[in-house]
Amino acid sequence: MQQKPARIRIVDAAYELMLTVGLARATTKEIAKAAGCSEAALYKYFASKEELFIRVLKERLPTLGPLLDRLMSEPEKHTVEENLTEIARQAALFYEQSFPIAASLYAETQLKRRHDEAMRQMGAGAHMPIRGVAAYLRAEQQAGRVHPYADTFAAASLLMGACAQRAFAYDATAEGKPPPVDTFAPAIARTLLRGISLAGGPA
């Protein structure tokens, strides 16, 4: 059986290690070892662990970028509620899978600061999905499908915040797991839309 290319093996190994031991403890040395290559070979493809982390998020987890690009290029193909539901679904799955990877950063303040600085330099970070959803909602405003006075940044923050909360806020419940994404996403979208729609938006 033909071996996967080195870059794919590195991303696969990084994903598995970050998921099992967390981002903070997944060193480039361990990632390279798990990928069956040298640490020097890893740096041929990725400038830093932060860059590798971004590639893991984009290539192994559900991502909003392509979805938002598609919705903005053809905003009226589906209803706003349908679009918000799909955004909520993707975001909920992303946070559900990314929180176990990134949570360990919050236990090490200095490492978190270095990571955040690296993210800023690469134009990435946890704030970017909020900006993307806000941009989509502004496009819907321009198309006349969202109230012209609706605060798109606040609406995007509420949507993404709810999806992030779903990833960790339900562990202590009797069920010990979050509500199913197929019921959660439509409910969040429907509720948010009541506040920003032309019928229910601010006067």
Side-chain angles (χ1 to χ4, degrees):
M1 184 176 178
Q2 188 176 10
Q3 191 177 40
K4 292 180 181 178
R7 186 190 179 282
I8 294 177
R9 297 201 315 272
I10 291 168
V11 175
D12 285 344
Y15 171 65
E16 291 298 330
L17 275 173
M18 289 176 182
L19 191 61
T20 54
V21 304
L23 180 60
R25 294 178 59 193
T27 65
T28 53
K29 182 177 180 180
E30 290 299 320
I31 292 169
K33 180 180 177 182
C37 66
S38 67
E39 195 170 4
L42 182 150
Y43 283 109
K44 285 175 57 179
Y45 298 97
F46 306 98
S48 64
K49 188 171 81 169
E50 287 76 20
E51 182 183 340
L52 179 52
F53 172 60
I54 289 176
R55 297 323 308 175
V56 166
L57 294 184
K58 289 184 176 180
E59 298 178 21
R60 296 296 180 272
L61 274 64
T63 55
L64 277 178
L67 171 63
L68 293 173
D69 290 343
R70 176 169 56 80
L71 294 181
M72 291 180 69
S73 67
E74 46 184 22
E76 297 186 29
K77 185 173 181 179
H78 302 286
T79 67
V80 178
E81 183 173 336
E82 287 171 335
N83 290 342
L84 288 175
T85 297
E86 187 56 29
I87 290 171
R89 185 191 313 278
Q90 289 286 91
L93 292 173
F94 171 80
Y95 287 121
E96 182 180 311
Q97 296 179 38
S98 64
F99 267 26
I101 293 174
S104 61
L105 277 178
Y106 291 85
E108 301 186 32
T109 304
Q110 290 185 343
L111 181 61
K112 175 72 165 54
R113 287 175 181 165
R114 290 200 304 271
H115 179 82
D116 288 344
E117 179 58 32
M119 293 293 105
R120 278 190 288 270
Q121 292 176 4
M122 288 185 282
H127 62 294
M128 296 302 289
I130 298 174
R131 288 185 178 180
V133 175
Y136 158 70
L137 290 173
R138 287 195 299 273
E140 291 287 15
Q141 276 183 322
Q142 293 169 3
R145 302 208 305 171
V146 164
H147 198 285
Y149 296 129
D151 187 327
T152 57
F153 178 77
S157 298
L158 288 169
L159 177 63
M160 300 304 287
C163 294
Q165 279 287 99
R166 177 185 172 276
F168 71 91
Y170 295 92
D171 290 348
T173 63
E175 297 80 9
K177 59 184 180 181
V181 70
D182 287 339
T183 55
F184 171 85
I188 290 295
R190 193 163 49 247
T191 302
L192 179 68
L193 188 58
R194 290 190 184 121
I196 63 173
S197 68
L198 292 171

